[in-house]
Amino acid sequence: MRALVLSLLKPPRPGVDVHGTYKRIPLHVRALHALGASIEMAYYVTDGDVPASADLAEAARAQEAAEAVYWGFAARVHLIRRRPRPPQTFRDYYLKGVAAAADQPALSSFAGPEQAAAVGALLDTGPDLVVVNNLHATCAVLRSGRRARRLFVDLDDVQHLVRLRWCRQPPRTPGRLMMLSHIPALIAAERAAARRAEATFVCSEADRAHLARLGLPRVAVVPNAVDVPPDPPGPAAEPVLLFVGGMGHEPNHEAAERMVRRIFPLIRRERPDARLLVAGSGSECLPSRAGNPPGVAYCGFVPDIGSLFARSAVFVCPMLNGGGTRIKVLDAAAHALPIVSTHMGAGGISLADGKEIVLRDTDEAFAHACLHVLSDHAMARRIGAAARAVIQRRYDAASVESQLEGFFREPRSAAAG
């Protein structure tokens, strides 16, 4: 079997690109490899990744050596150049996307005419099975007009829900409200993809039920997953809080700034010895760092995230925006850390409030919950251990890969509906 995996990401860098979607795509790749498939990876690159003057085919061949190290087996590589985003007029930014999701600002770099042609050329080579990551790359498949023999679409984040949540968040500017007009086109693209696909994957039962109500066929839950470490130490005794997230992702940036500026000062008022670690690529460049807030350490990218978990007493996720499920929450739970999160931050993850996680949304309630967990070490260990048990049962990477093997092995009639 020859399998093509189309990712909206650039080629991964071992030890560096270990977050978010870079943890989801390997679930598919390893499942296909376990079935004996010959793997071909297609990535999107910018001129910063591969100079415009370079030959993409030659750059792809050079990348294959790094892929063999990253995956542990050989994979053929294809590179697709992202569409540069020019200065956009009012018509480009707001109006064109009303009719077609592929023309919306967030998606057009991946699904322009050139990108659709490149994807179409790959489909013309006749792969036996195609897995497409996220709606961004899926729009290029739709725009190409080609049909794969067997197509699996991993929506991961349901984009029309991501857009709706973003539009509802303050500040509710006229521009954000106008972006609501893009949501019907996003839903239409998700429907078109689901009709073509043997199965459409989402991260949570809540997303599956929502899409089923919209009439999308054959939608199945394939949760985000993590490797569960053996015998983690659990919460540290010192009053250290930890937030992790790549700050290039706007919801992470917003959550980190909220934690530093609004929530952590409330905690320090009661616990002057409390410390906050903010980790993830770009965290060292957050605007709040200029104020040198007391007790806050900006760690930047940390290759060994386990070392941060071992130093921390509480993992915090004060997110108010985004989609899918947060792998950072799964990772923290797998390390038996107690987690204080917003309902949004833990959305789609089967952790019970008060038993396996603490869920609070307002700044004051969030801070109070952190203080409670810091003051009761026995409760912290109990919540962390209970959360870890859930991850072992439901979100272990090996189990999810086995689930995917079943989808990729079975014919259309056995796909989830």
Side-chain angles (χ1 to χ4, degrees):
M1 177 171 62
R2 183 169 149 249
L4 172 66
V5 179
L6 176 57
S7 166
L8 84 163
L9 301 172
K10 63 183 180 182
R13 297 165 292 174
V16 176
D17 295 316
V18 294
H19 58 279
T21 306
Y22 281 111
K23 284 196 172 184
R24 185 164 178 86
I25 289 176
L27 300 173
H28 301 284
V29 175
R30 290 196 292 258
L32 289 165
H33 180 68
L35 292 174
S38 171
I39 308 292
E40 298 187 21
M41 300 296 303
Y43 300 106
Y44 281 86
V45 294
T46 66
D47 291 351
D49 303 317
V50 179
S53 58
D55 179 79
L56 278 183
E58 185 176 318
R61 287 191 292 271
Q63 176 63 30
E64 287 173 1
E67 292 288 295
V69 173
Y70 182 80
W71 296 115
F73 50 82
R76 188 178 178 189
V77 174
H78 307 279
L79 300 179
I80 301 169
R81 197 173 295 279
R82 281 177 56 172
R83 185 184 192 182
R85 187 179 295 179
Q88 293 184 315
T89 65
F90 181 89
R91 177 177 177 272
D92 291 328
Y93 199 77
Y94 292 108
L95 300 185
K96 290 174 69 174
V98 174
D103 289 326
Q104 295 180 10
L107 283 73
S108 63
S109 294
F110 304 90
E114 302 87 352
Q115 291 71 39
V119 169
L122 290 177
L123 296 177
D124 285 343
T125 65
D128 299 295
L129 185 151
V130 178
V131 179
V132 187
N133 164 243
N134 222 302
L135 188 64
H136 302 64
T138 303
C139 279
V141 174
L142 297 174
R143 198 168 201 172
S144 75
R146 312 303 206 280
R147 289 186 177 270
R149 294 176 186 174
R150 298 181 69 199
L151 175 66
F152 294 86
V153 172
D154 184 10
L155 287 181
D156 193 356
D157 297 342
V158 178
Q159 289 301 315
H160 80 264
L161 290 177
V162 173
R163 185 67 52 82
L164 180 61
R165 292 180 187 123
W166 179 79
C167 290
R168 287 175 171 174
Q169 284 298 314
R172 293 185 179 89
T173 62
R176 286 200 180 202
L177 294 177
M178 288 190 68
M179 283 293 187
L180 289 170
S181 65
H182 287 187
I183 290 175
L186 289 170
I187 295 173
E190 290 160 352
R191 280 197 177 116
R195 285 195 295 267
R196 289 195 188 189
E198 191 166 318
T200 297
F201 303 136
V202 292
C203 294
S204 70
E205 174 57 29
D207 284 348
R208 188 209 64 79
H210 175 76
L211 293 180
R213 288 193 294 270
L214 293 178
L216 274 69
R218 298 181 297 278
V219 178
V221 177
V222 174
N224 281 321
V226 294
D227 296 315
V228 181
D231 302 320
E238 296 297 315
V240 177
L241 300 95
L242 172 64
F243 176 83
V244 175
M247 301 305 158
H249 184 46
E250 185 179 353
N252 286 335
H253 183 284
E254 292 173 350
E257 289 289 273
R258 180 193 181 201
M259 189 69 206
V260 172
R261 294 179 184 272
R262 292 158 42 189
I263 297 173
F264 190 57
L266 299 176
I267 296 171
R268 288 273 293 188
R269 188 181 303 165
E270 302 295 326
R271 288 291 301 266
D273 59 337
R275 289 178 291 141
L276 171 64
L277 307 179
V278 182
S281 58
S283 59
E284 70 279 15
C285 300
L286 284 169
S288 58
R289 188 180 185 185
N292 195 25
V296 180
Y298 296 86
C299 305
F301 173 75
V302 178
D304 179 17
I305 194 67
S307 65
L308 290 183
F309 288 136
R311 293 169 54 191
S312 304
V314 184
F315 186 86
V316 293
C317 186
M319 297 179 72
L320 296 172
N321 205 352
T325 57
R326 261 57 56 196
I327 292 177
K328 63 173 72 67
V329 171
L330 300 179
D331 261 332
H335 283 79
L337 271 186
I339 300 162
V340 178
S341 174
T342 58
H343 286 80
M344 175 69 240
I349 301 175
S350 298
L351 296 174
D353 185 18
K355 179 181 178 183
E356 296 141 355
I357 195 170
V358 180
L359 300 177
R360 301 292 187 270
D361 291 320
T362 68
D363 295 348
E364 293 76 12
F366 198 101
H368 183 266
C370 291
L371 287 165
H372 189 196
V373 175
L374 288 174
S375 66
D376 190 337
H377 196 64
M379 182 192 72
R381 294 192 69 84
R382 184 171 63 252
I383 289 177
R388 174 178 160 82
V390 172
I391 302 306
Q392 289 175 311
R393 290 196 307 270
R394 300 188 180 186
Y395 300 100
D396 178 64
S399 297
V400 174
E401 288 164 23
S402 295
Q403 178 190 3
L404 283 166
E405 286 179 42
F407 280 108
F408 297 151
R409 184 186 294 114
E410 296 296 331
R412 177 183 293 271
S413 61

Short mmCIF file of all heavy atoms in Angstrom, two decimals, residues 139-160:
data_model
loop_
_atom_site.label_atom_id
_atom_site.label_comp_id
_atom_site.label_asym_id
_atom_site.label_seq_id
_atom_site.Cartn_x
_atom_site.Cartn_y
_atom_site.Cartn_z
N CYS A 139 -8.66 21.99 1.86
CA CYS A 139 -9.20 22.90 0.85
C CYS A 139 -8.40 22.82 -0.45
O CYS A 139 -8.96 23.01 -1.54
CB CYS A 139 -9.20 24.34 1.38
SG CYS A 139 -10.61 24.70 2.45
N ALA A 140 -7.11 22.55 -0.37
CA ALA A 140 -6.31 22.37 -1.58
C ALA A 140 -6.75 21.12 -2.33
O ALA A 140 -6.80 21.10 -3.57
CB ALA A 140 -4.83 22.30 -1.24
N VAL A 141 -7.08 20.05 -1.59
CA VAL A 141 -7.59 18.84 -2.22
C VAL A 141 -8.92 19.12 -2.92
O VAL A 141 -9.14 18.74 -4.08
CB VAL A 141 -7.76 17.71 -1.17
CG1 VAL A 141 -8.43 16.49 -1.80
CG2 VAL A 141 -6.41 17.34 -0.57
N LEU A 142 -9.82 19.80 -2.23
CA LEU A 142 -11.12 20.13 -2.82
C LEU A 142 -10.96 20.99 -4.06
O LEU A 142 -11.62 20.77 -5.09
CB LEU A 142 -12.00 20.83 -1.79
CG LEU A 142 -12.38 20.03 -0.54
CD1 LEU A 142 -13.13 20.91 0.45
CD2 LEU A 142 -13.22 18.82 -0.92
N ARG A 143 -10.08 21.98 -3.97
CA ARG A 143 -9.89 22.91 -5.09
C ARG A 143 -9.22 22.24 -6.28
O ARG A 143 -9.39 22.67 -7.42
CB ARG A 143 -9.06 24.11 -4.62
CG ARG A 143 -9.17 25.32 -5.52
CD ARG A 143 -8.56 26.54 -4.85
NE ARG A 143 -9.07 27.77 -5.43
CZ ARG A 143 -8.84 28.98 -4.96
NH1 ARG A 143 -8.09 29.14 -3.87
NH2 ARG A 143 -9.35 30.04 -5.54
N SER A 144 -8.46 21.18 -6.03
CA SER A 144 -7.77 20.49 -7.13
C SER A 144 -8.74 19.76 -8.06
O SER A 144 -8.42 19.49 -9.22
CB SER A 144 -6.77 19.47 -6.56
OG SER A 144 -7.43 18.31 -6.06
N GLY A 145 -9.92 19.42 -7.53
CA GLY A 145 -10.89 18.68 -8.33
C GLY A 145 -10.59 17.21 -8.45
O GLY A 145 -11.34 16.46 -9.09
N ARG A 146 -9.51 16.72 -7.82
CA ARG A 146 -9.15 15.30 -7.89
C ARG A 146 -9.83 14.53 -6.77
O ARG A 146 -10.21 15.09 -5.75
CB ARG A 146 -7.64 15.10 -7.77
CG ARG A 146 -6.78 15.98 -8.62
CD ARG A 146 -7.06 15.91 -10.10
NE ARG A 146 -5.88 16.28 -10.87
CZ ARG A 146 -5.47 17.53 -11.10
NH1 ARG A 146 -6.16 18.55 -10.58
NH2 ARG A 146 -4.38 17.76 -11.82
N ARG A 147 -9.94 13.23 -6.99
CA ARG A 147 -10.50 12.35 -5.97
C ARG A 147 -9.51 11.23 -5.68
O ARG A 147 -9.02 10.58 -6.59
CB ARG A 147 -11.85 11.76 -6.42
CG ARG A 147 -12.96 12.80 -6.44
CD ARG A 147 -14.30 12.18 -6.74
NE ARG A 147 -15.36 13.17 -6.69
CZ ARG A 147 -16.05 13.49 -5.62
NH1 ARG A 147 -15.78 12.87 -4.47
NH2 ARG A 147 -17.00 14.39 -5.66
N ALA A 148 -9.25 11.02 -4.42
CA ALA A 148 -8.35 9.95 -4.00
C ALA A 148 -9.11 8.63 -3.95
O ALA A 148 -10.33 8.59 -3.78
CB ALA A 148 -7.76 10.27 -2.63
N ARG A 149 -8.38 7.53 -4.09
CA ARG A 149 -9.01 6.21 -3.99
C ARG A 149 -9.63 6.02 -2.61
O ARG A 149 -10.78 5.57 -2.48
CB ARG A 149 -7.96 5.12 -4.23
CG ARG A 149 -7.41 5.10 -5.64
CD ARG A 149 -6.31 4.06 -5.79
NE ARG A 149 -5.69 4.13 -7.10
CZ ARG A 149 -4.63 3.41 -7.47
NH1 ARG A 149 -4.08 2.57 -6.60
NH2 ARG A 149 -4.11 3.54 -8.69
N ARG A 150 -8.84 6.31 -1.60
CA ARG A 150 -9.33 6.28 -0.22
C ARG A 150 -8.82 7.54 0.46
O ARG A 150 -7.61 7.75 0.54
CB ARG A 150 -8.84 5.04 0.53
CG ARG A 150 -9.29 3.71 -0.05
CD ARG A 150 -8.76 2.56 0.80
NE ARG A 150 -9.41 2.52 2.11
CZ ARG A 150 -8.90 1.87 3.16
NH1 ARG A 150 -7.74 1.25 3.09
NH2 ARG A 150 -9.55 1.86 4.31
N LEU A 151 -9.72 8.36 0.94
CA LEU A 151 -9.36 9.64 1.54
C LEU A 151 -9.82 9.67 3.00
O LEU A 151 -10.96 9.35 3.31
CB LEU A 151 -10.04 10.79 0.78
CG LEU A 151 -9.85 12.20 1.36
CD1 LEU A 151 -8.39 12.64 1.28
CD2 LEU A 151 -10.75 13.20 0.63
N PHE A 152 -8.89 10.08 3.87
CA PHE A 152 -9.21 10.31 5.28
C PHE A 152 -8.85 11.75 5.60
O PHE A 152 -7.73 12.19 5.34
CB PHE A 152 -8.41 9.35 6.17
CG PHE A 152 -8.79 7.91 5.99
CD1 PHE A 152 -8.19 7.14 4.99
CD2 PHE A 152 -9.77 7.33 6.79
CE1 PHE A 152 -8.54 5.81 4.80
CE2 PHE A 152 -10.13 6.00 6.61
CZ PHE A 152 -9.52 5.23 5.61
N VAL A 153 -9.80 12.47 6.17
CA VAL A 153 -9.61 13.87 6.49
C VAL A 153 -9.54 14.01 8.01
O VAL A 153 -10.47 13.62 8.71
CB VAL A 153 -10.75 14.74 5.93
CG1 VAL A 153 -10.64 16.17 6.44
CG2 VAL A 153 -10.72 14.72 4.41
N ASP A 154 -8.43 14.55 8.50
CA ASP A 154 -8.30 14.82 9.92
C ASP A 154 -8.54 16.31 10.15
O ASP A 154 -7.64 17.12 9.95
CB ASP A 154 -6.90 14.42 10.40
CG ASP A 154 -6.74 14.58 11.91
OD1 ASP A 154 -7.77 14.83 12.58
OD2 ASP A 154 -5.61 14.47 12.41
N LEU A 155 -9.76 16.66 10.54
CA LEU A 155 -10.07 18.07 10.78
C LEU A 155 -9.30 18.61 11.98
O LEU A 155 -9.05 19.82 12.05
CB LEU A 155 -11.57 18.26 10.99
CG LEU A 155 -12.44 18.14 9.74
CD1 LEU A 155 -13.90 18.40 10.11
CD2 LEU A 155 -12.01 19.08 8.63
N ASP A 156 -8.95 17.73 12.95
CA ASP A 156 -8.21 18.17 14.12
C ASP A 156 -9.00 19.29 14.81
O ASP A 156 -9.92 19.02 15.58
CB ASP A 156 -6.80 18.60 13.71
CG ASP A 156 -5.86 18.78 14.89
OD1 ASP A 156 -6.32 18.64 16.04
OD2 ASP A 156 -4.68 19.07 14.68
N ASP A 157 -8.67 20.54 14.54
CA ASP A 157 -9.49 21.66 15.01
C ASP A 157 -10.63 21.89 14.02
O ASP A 157 -10.38 22.01 12.81
CB ASP A 157 -8.67 22.95 15.09
CG ASP A 157 -7.53 22.85 16.09
OD1 ASP A 157 -7.57 21.95 16.95
OD2 ASP A 157 -6.61 23.66 15.99
N VAL A 158 -11.86 21.94 14.50
CA VAL A 158 -13.00 22.24 13.62
C VAL A 158 -12.98 23.75 13.37
O VAL A 158 -13.29 24.55 14.26
CB VAL A 158 -14.32 21.78 14.27
CG1 VAL A 158 -15.51 22.15 13.37
CG2 VAL A 158 -14.29 20.27 14.53
N GLN A 159 -12.62 24.13 12.15
CA GLN A 159 -12.27 25.53 11.90
C GLN A 159 -13.43 26.50 12.06
O GLN A 159 -13.24 27.63 12.50
CB GLN A 159 -11.65 25.67 10.50
CG GLN A 159 -10.27 25.08 10.38
CD GLN A 159 -9.28 25.72 11.34
OE1 GLN A 159 -9.24 26.94 11.49
NE2 GLN A 159 -8.49 24.90 12.01
N HIS A 160 -14.65 26.07 11.74
CA HIS A 160 -15.75 27.04 11.89
C HIS A 160 -16.02 27.32 13.37
O HIS A 160 -16.43 28.43 13.73
CB HIS A 160 -17.01 26.57 11.14
CG HIS A 160 -17.84 25.56 11.85
ND1 HIS A 160 -17.74 24.20 11.61
CD2 HIS A 160 -18.83 25.70 12.78
CE1 HIS A 160 -18.61 23.56 12.35
NE2 HIS A 160 -19.29 24.44 13.07
#
